[in-house]
Amino acid sequence: MSVAANSRLDNRYMEALGPIRPLVEDDSLTEIMVNGPEMVYVERKGKILLTDIRFDDEAHLMRVIDTIVSSVGRRVDARTPLCDARLLDGSRVNACIPPVALDGPLLTIRKFSKDPYQVSDLIGFGTITQEGASFVQACVLARANIIVSGGTGTGKTTLLNVCSGFIPIDERIITIEDAAELQLHQEHVCRLESRPPDVNGEGRVNIRDLVVNSLRMRPDRIVIGECRSGEALDMLQAMNTGHDGSMTTIHANSARETLSRLETLVLMAGMDLPLKAIRQQVASAINLIIQLARLKDGSRKIVSVTEVVGMEGDTITMQEIFKFESRGADPATGKIVGDFSSTGIRPKIIDRLFDMGVPLPPRLAQLFPDRRQLQQEALMAAAGRQMGNGAAQPAQPPPGFGGPPGLGLPPSMPPGMGMPPVGPGGSRGR
């Protein structure tokens, strides 16, 4: 299809969106919430605002919903009143219509930037610092298995997209999502999307089926949009069987809750596994948990970067590498202020970075120096001190020379050839 034909198709699609078209085109909005034909809310800078936009009637709103849903091969009707879809630009869409929606059709659009956010944008927003971003990038390059966790609307997909951007361009990436939202800049990307059942209730392809199938596609990296069911078991098995560097998101309020939720999701796979076996799988598969939070002022921040260390008994042990500490709100602006800094704990994954030759930025190299390099430098310094001390001391004479008579032999004289002992009166025995 030509560029002109694509442009005409996009124009017709945008015109079919009706009164919400200017909202979809407004890059300053992050959410569009339609509560029936007469109430349209938007989210701007973390705050929810009521607009003056109205639909003609419920039929008008239903036509807009049907346009959005049918354009990606989905359907919504009285038999299937719930639907997940996406706009042509990748923005996430959820539609809910009568009879389950009592006060009229509901439409929720989670907008994504036309130009995907880069790590520099997150640093500019205050979501993460340069040191924290450098550490996450180094972990991605070192093929660490990463989980991005947080509540609803905290920016998990955005951060997952940024982390996926750190993957080298020469690796084969498989993305698996309910609604395709990730926008990767690499060329070798295979995008898979789940499929709902048809009118007869057949043909459903869920996330778990796609995860199992992706293992046969020779992936270097597997990126799952969100784990919310039994696919967590297959994901953990993939991470434990050579598919390092995989990433996903999960709904949880803390790193510890992330592990508990993973255990619950694995049990949803229908396998009667003992809890200790599940925890062993989790502890050996997951390397890093990045926790996001949405603060009171509407800002989204990474509040914790935690490393999974291993197991002690039946408990999974973790250590926090970076942490956000709030210092309250600015009286003038109401913005939450705080510091995102290192806790001073050395992460175990740093040794993997040095083994793989992944360069660390100077700031991180100062925070987490290579132990082996430090030991080598200490040995070299000790050897230098010993050489310095040896040069300062006077040279010792060889054994048998320069010492009291009769106390040693020259090094070239064999044993038994020394001078005979001195007898009485100073004469030597014969």
Side-chain angles (χ1 to χ4, degrees):
M1 187 177 293
S2 65
V3 176
N6 275 329
S7 178
R8 289 195 299 270
L9 178 63
D10 291 344
N11 288 333
R12 289 200 300 269
Y13 179 82
M14 296 303 292
E15 290 174 359
L17 296 180
I20 64 172
R21 174 178 180 174
L23 303 181
V24 173
E25 294 177 337
D26 189 349
D27 292 336
S28 66
L29 303 180
T30 55
E31 201 98 25
I32 302 172
M33 296 155 280
V34 181
N35 300 352
E38 298 184 356
M39 298 182 68
V40 179
Y41 290 87
V42 297
E43 182 188 63
R44 178 183 281 114
K45 296 181 179 180
K47 301 296 183 182
I48 296 179
L49 308 170
L50 177 64
T51 68
D52 56 358
I53 292 177
R54 302 289 184 272
F55 289 84
D56 296 338
D57 49 28
E58 285 194 10
H60 185 200
L61 176 54
M62 282 298 302
R63 288 196 300 272
V64 172
I65 293 176
D66 187 64
T67 298
I68 295 173
V69 169
S70 60
S71 65
V72 291
R74 306 289 175 96
R75 75 180 191 284
V76 59
D77 51 36
R79 294 184 60 183
T80 54
L82 306 176
C83 181
D84 289 323
R86 68 179 187 278
L87 299 182
L88 291 185
D89 64 356
S91 297
R92 183 189 311 168
V93 175
N94 177 266
C96 181
I97 67 172
V100 295
L102 303 181
D103 299 323
L106 304 175
L107 178 65
T108 308
I109 301 175
R110 174 73 57 79
K111 290 188 70 230
F112 291 104
S113 174
K114 294 182 177 61
D115 184 17
Y117 287 136
Q118 305 296 324
V119 65
S120 57
D121 298 316
L122 299 188
I123 295 173
F125 298 152
T127 303
I128 192 172
T129 61
Q130 181 65 55
E131 290 80 7
S134 299
F135 176 72
V136 173
Q137 181 179 7
C139 291
V140 173
L141 294 176
R143 305 182 66 85
N145 295 319
I146 299 175
I147 290 184
V148 179
S149 64
T152 301
T154 54
K156 297 185 299 298
T157 304
T158 299
L159 181 58
L160 181 65
N161 200 80
V162 170
C163 292
S164 302
F166 296 144
I167 299 175
I169 60 175
D170 59 346
E171 296 189 9
R172 178 176 171 88
I173 307 170
I174 311 294
T175 65
I176 301 172
E177 303 172 84
D178 269 328
E181 301 165 356
L182 296 175
Q183 305 175 50
L184 302 186
H185 63 82
Q186 294 91 338
E187 293 183 359
H188 203 165
V189 178
C190 303
R191 304 170 69 202
L192 303 179
E193 186 178 54
S194 64
R195 174 184 171 185
D198 57 17
V199 179
N200 299 321
E202 301 174 349
R204 176 182 177 87
V205 181
N206 56 31
I207 296 290
R208 188 175 186 184
D209 298 329
L210 296 178
V211 173
V212 174
N213 184 79
S214 69
L215 301 179
R216 307 185 183 100
M217 298 173 65
R218 201 271 178 203
D220 287 315
R221 309 266 187 157
I222 301 175
V223 181
I224 303 175
E226 181 182 350
C227 272
R228 58 170 67 117
S229 187
E231 64 269 7
L233 175 60
D234 300 284
M235 180 196 69
L236 292 176
Q237 289 180 331
M239 291 177 174
N240 279 320
T241 54
H243 296 91
D244 295 333
S246 300
M247 290 177 274
T248 187
T249 69
I250 195 170
H251 277 80
N253 294 323
S254 67
R256 180 60 63 181
E257 288 186 18
T258 299
L259 301 180
S260 300
R261 183 155 162 73
L262 265 178
E263 296 173 10
T264 304
L265 296 180
V266 170
L267 292 174
M268 292 174 65
M271 306 293 291
D272 189 15
L273 297 174
L275 191 58
K276 185 173 183 178
I278 297 175
R279 290 179 177 175
Q280 288 174 340
Q281 287 275 328
V282 172
S284 60
I286 307 302
N287 300 116
L288 210 65
I289 300 175
I290 304 175
Q291 183 68 38
L292 283 159
R294 186 172 179 176
L295 305 184
K296 187 178 180 180
D297 61 353
S299 62
R300 299 168 174 88
K301 293 186 181 296
I302 296 178
V303 296
S304 175
V305 177
T306 306
E307 181 185 32
V308 179
V309 178
M311 287 195 67
E312 290 184 3
D314 292 339
T315 304
I316 301 176
T317 57
M318 300 183 297
Q319 57 186 13
E320 199 169 33
I321 310 303
F322 289 90
K323 182 180 181 180
F324 177 78
E325 295 183 354
S326 175
R327 299 199 309 269
D330 187 345
T333 62
K335 293 290 185 180
I336 302 295
V337 294
D339 297 318
F340 182 81
S341 57
S342 170
T343 59
I345 299 176
R346 177 188 171 84
K348 292 178 62 179
I349 199 171
I350 287 292
D351 294 331
R352 184 196 292 191
L353 302 181
F354 288 114
D355 290 340
M356 298 183 66
V358 177
L360 278 181
R363 173 61 178 158
L364 283 183
Q366 294 176 1
L367 288 175
F368 312 120
D370 186 3
R371 290 175 178 171
R372 289 162 296 185
Q373 183 177 356
L374 291 178
Q375 291 175 355
Q376 184 177 2
E377 292 176 354
L379 291 175
M380 293 178 63
R385 287 194 299 269
Q386 290 178 359
M387 291 178 62
N389 293 337
Q393 294 176 356
Q396 299 293 329
F401 289 93
L407 295 183
L409 296 174
S412 60
M413 184 176 294
M417 299 297 292
M419 299 297 292
V422 179
S427 62
R428 298 183 179 275
R430 293 187 181 273

